[in-house]
Structure formats: C-alpha cells, structure tokens
Amino acid sequence: MKTAEKKHKVIINSKWCKGCGICIAFCPKAVLGEGDAGKAVVIDPEACTGCRLCELRCPDFAIVLDEGETDE
C-alpha cells in the first residue's frame, strides 16, 4: 500500500525578496536557486519536502510554503 504524499508549493514574493541567499543556503534539497535578478527562484519544486527552512529563515518574510493536496 502506497502512502499519500503531500505536495508543497514554495511561493516567493519577488517584491519583498532582497536576494540575500539565506533561503538558498539553508534548503537541504536545493529547491531554490538564484534567478537572473539575483533573487531567489524555485528551480526544483518536486524536491521540496516541506521542511519550511526557507520560510523560517527569510528575514524579509518573502517566502510562504503552501501545504497542498495529498498525492495518492
């Protein structure tokens, strides 16, 4: 029997992001990377485990983790 896996969506408010890179440094799964403007962008959304380190460490509150539906 396969267990249901929750999908997580990282939402970045680019207007609030200053490009400090803390979220990129703390993400254990390399979900985030640096975009062309030097700000954080989601580069591998499927790898997100929902640990919330990016959300918790962002000094500008520019990241929110959306707990999505379960994937069965």
Side-chain angles (χ1 to χ4, degrees):
M1 183 172 140
K2 186 178 177 184
T3 58
E5 197 170 307
K6 215 170 206 181
K7 290 188 173 188
H8 309 279
K9 183 177 180 183
V10 179
I11 301 167
I12 301 171
N13 184 336
S14 62
K15 291 180 182 175
W16 292 2
C17 176
K18 293 178 185 165
C20 67
I22 292 174
C23 57
I24 298 168
F26 276 92
C27 181
K29 296 294 184 179
V31 173
L32 302 172
E34 187 177 316
D36 292 337
K39 297 183 177 185
V41 294
V42 178
I43 58 173
D44 189 4
E46 298 297 320
C48 182
T49 61
C51 70
R52 294 186 178 272
L53 284 176
C54 57
E55 184 181 59
L56 296 171
R57 300 289 181 180
C58 178
D60 301 311
F61 306 104
I63 300 176
V64 175
L65 191 73
D66 181 31
E67 299 275 341
E69 301 291 321
T70 56
D71 184 27
E72 295 184 49

